[in-house]
Amino acid sequence: MLRSPQLSPPTAVHGAPAVMGDQELFSEVLKVQNKIFYLDLKQNGRGKYIKIAEKGKYRPKSSVVVPLSGLHSFIQLFDFYLNSDGAGPQPRDVVVESKVFNFSCGENDRGRYLRIFESGGGYPAGGSSLMVPAGWANANIRAFRDSFEKIANWLNQSGMPSTEMSAGLALSSQPDCVTLDVSKEGGPVLSVGSKHYFFDTRLNDRGRYLKIKEVSGNMKTLLVVPAHAVGKFQEAIQLAMMAQPRPDHPAEVGGQQQA
């Protein structure tokens, strides 16, 4: 039974495995101030994942789904934000398969919080987010970190080692940090600072084409290049990069035209 959240640290309750739908392997329930968070390790035909659902008084119920390959990256990010003071450091992103998770700190009239925003994956536009109250000395963030650590330990004790950390984790403060990862579908993911580009070859009744999806925060842009034009597309990029750069128009500075 969950205790009252008044002046008490987050409490955790282990749930019983479910037998219907996706199989539930491990469960945690965290009561944080006026919110309840459900952390469930599940598996289905596509593999294992962690579903985090938030139910609170001031926001509609929301959830994010983290593929298991992002487990250690999330632990590292929770550790990172545990040591933050004030409004916190700059936002950080992690690419997990075909998804992008953005971590950022903020503050409102109810205190400091850590926001986790999920985009990409099954979200055609926008995404889903969680708001974790930081609490005194970041106690609530520590509770989330400990719950993810429990999941990792449970996997090891059950003979199901968790996967290695995603190569898409970007903790560097350099805005132009560039990493190359592989999506769940097997296509390359190019991350440049807080922007992420997903490359995917598709086929329809008009033939093969290259789909390039840019994800930045809660914004998504899609570009489609017919397969027979990809060579000229690459040539156009090379020619553009060889040309003398032109300064941005004043009206474009700070807008979408600025990288």
Side-chain angles (χ1 to χ4, degrees):
M1 182 175 180
L2 297 175
R3 297 179 297 177
S4 170
Q6 297 294 328
L7 302 178
S8 62
T11 58
V13 178
H14 300 289
V19 295
M20 298 182 64
D22 290 358
Q23 183 182 2
E24 186 175 293
L25 304 175
F26 186 88
S27 179
E28 285 267 287
V29 180
L30 297 179
K31 192 155 188 180
V32 178
Q33 295 181 8
N34 59 354
K35 298 184 178 185
I36 298 177
F37 292 90
Y38 303 89
L39 288 79
D40 300 315
L41 172 64
K42 298 186 177 185
Q43 70 175 4
N44 56 26
R46 295 184 297 275
K48 299 182 181 67
Y49 63 92
I50 302 168
K51 180 179 179 181
I52 313 171
E54 169 191 347
K55 183 179 181 181
K57 179 179 179 181
Y58 300 101
R59 298 179 72 237
K61 186 175 181 180
S62 61
S63 62
V64 300
V65 175
V66 186
L68 189 61
S69 57
L71 173 63
H72 292 297
S73 295
F74 267 62
I75 291 175
Q76 185 175 354
L77 279 166
F78 285 130
D79 282 337
F80 179 70
Y81 283 97
L82 274 173
N83 299 319
S84 66
D85 295 318
Q90 293 296 315
R92 296 291 182 266
D93 289 345
V94 57
V95 178
V96 183
E97 299 177 7
S98 61
K99 299 184 177 184
V100 179
F101 296 90
N102 173 265
F103 283 63
S104 61
C105 284
E107 190 168 358
N108 56 26
D109 56 355
R110 293 185 293 276
R112 291 183 58 247
Y113 60 84
L114 175 64
R115 180 174 182 259
I116 305 172
F117 183 87
E118 173 190 354
S119 57
Y123 295 102
S128 181
S129 66
L130 303 175
M131 305 284 282
V132 182
W136 182 79
N138 290 332
N140 301 329
I141 298 176
R142 184 177 300 279
F144 267 78
R145 192 262 183 223
D146 290 346
S147 291
F148 271 70
E149 186 70 33
K150 288 178 183 177
I151 291 174
N153 292 337
W154 184 88
L155 286 166
N156 291 330
Q157 294 171 5
S158 303
M160 295 183 288
S162 54
T163 55
E164 293 298 323
M165 185 182 304
S166 169
L169 181 60
L171 287 178
S172 171
S173 60
Q174 296 296 328
D176 57 352
C177 177
V178 179
T179 60
L180 185 61
D181 203 354
V182 179
S183 71
K184 183 178 181 180
E185 292 76 16
V189 180
L190 178 65
S191 300
V192 184
S194 61
K195 295 186 177 183
H196 311 278
Y197 302 88
F198 296 82
F199 296 79
D200 191 17
T201 303
R202 294 294 186 91
L203 178 67
N204 59 22
D205 56 356
R206 294 186 297 275
R208 294 176 65 239
Y209 64 93
L210 174 65
K211 184 175 77 171
I212 305 173
K213 180 174 64 177
E214 175 191 347
V215 178
S216 180
N218 61 351
M219 301 295 293
K220 187 183 79 168
T221 304
L222 189 63
L223 180 65
V224 174
V225 183
H228 68 273
V230 169
K232 290 296 183 181
F233 185 81
Q234 294 172 319
E235 183 179 348
I237 293 176
Q238 293 174 350
L239 291 172
M241 295 305 297
M242 291 171 59
Q244 182 69 24
R246 296 182 295 112
D248 285 338
H249 189 277
E252 296 176 348
V253 176
Q256 293 185 351
Q257 297 294 328
Q258 187 180 26

